[in-house]
Amino acid sequence: MIVDDHEVVRRGIAEVVERTEGMTVVAEAGSVADGVRRAALVHPQILLVDLQLPDGTGIDLLKRTRETLPDARAIVLTSFDDDDALAEALAAGAAAYLLKSVRGAEITDVIRAVASGRTLLDERTVTRRRAGHDDPTENLTPSELKVLDLIGEGLSNREIAGRLGVAEKTVKNHITSLLSKMGLQRRTQVAAWVSARKHSGWRAETNR
């Protein structure tokens, strides 16, 4: 069962799963409430859940389904590479934590492993990550940090250029540089990263 509020993402994952021998998507949902209701009806073997949902989080969903579906195993699939989220997923009983940047074949490999009883997420993983986790912004220049904050405010490149009093091309160069230093690929990922840090780590405001 796939729980993600983006239909395109759900359909993409569903197509990958359905093409894999021995796997079937029994239900899809786009919110915590809908996920809890549908899970109770279809009793999925595997729950593949996004962290951020319109009415709560994937962690909320796992906690609410734990009693009614004690045998279901959970995989968290998210765009947030965040240690706090990883720890909460572990505490909620998730067996694996996947980033949405993974390839389709990797998703089905993890699903198969989790279905067979394996757990790919444990306390040692969280501890090890936290011990060696560097701040992705530590190598940014002061100008790049300013651009980072303004992207987080939702400003366009032109607006950022106006705010900083520089050419738009200069802003684009800063963005190219900070993307490389932070290990990101797109401007939208920067905005998501800033938003995640502003809202108590990975948690976004769910009742806006």
Side-chain angles (χ1 to χ4, degrees), residues 189-202:
Q189 291 176 312
V190 176
W193 188 91
V194 175
S195 176
R197 290 309 179 279
K198 286 183 177 179
H199 297 104
S200 302
W202 62 274

Side-chain angles (χ1 to χ4, degrees), residues 20-158:
T20 305
E21 185 178 354
M23 294 186 190
T24 303
V25 176
V26 294
E28 296 178 28
S31 66
V32 174
D34 198 23
V36 170
R37 182 180 63 81
R38 296 192 183 201
L41 293 173
V42 300
H43 291 83
Q45 184 181 359
I46 300 291
L47 282 163
L48 189 66
V49 302
D50 189 11
L51 272 182
Q52 293 188 314
L53 298 167
D55 56 346
T57 70
I59 303 301
D60 297 329
L61 187 146
L62 297 187
K63 290 177 179 177
R64 289 177 61 179
T65 57
R66 188 184 296 170
E67 292 184 10
T68 55
L69 299 169
D71 297 326
R73 309 207 75 212
I75 299 169
V76 169
L77 181 66
T78 179
S79 56
F80 289 92
D81 187 10
D82 185 287
D83 292 334
D84 290 335
L86 186 69
E88 288 202 49
L90 171 63
Y97 189 98
L98 278 176
L99 294 179
K100 288 183 177 179
S101 56
V102 300
R103 296 179 179 178
E106 292 178 79
I107 294 177
T108 53
D109 286 345
V110 170
I111 292 173
R112 199 179 299 281
V114 170
S116 69
R118 291 180 59 193
T119 297
L120 309 180
L121 173 62
D122 56 29
E123 190 63 51
R124 285 177 297 177
T125 302
V126 178
T127 303
R128 185 168 62 249
R129 277 176 50 109
R130 281 183 164 160
H133 197 64
D134 297 326
D135 179 358
T137 66
E138 66 180 355
N139 294 321
L140 299 189
T141 66
S143 294
E144 289 166 356
L145 286 170
K146 290 178 182 177
V147 172
L148 180 78
D149 287 337
L150 294 174
I151 289 175
E153 290 181 21
L155 272 63
S156 67
N157 289 359
R158 180 175 297 179

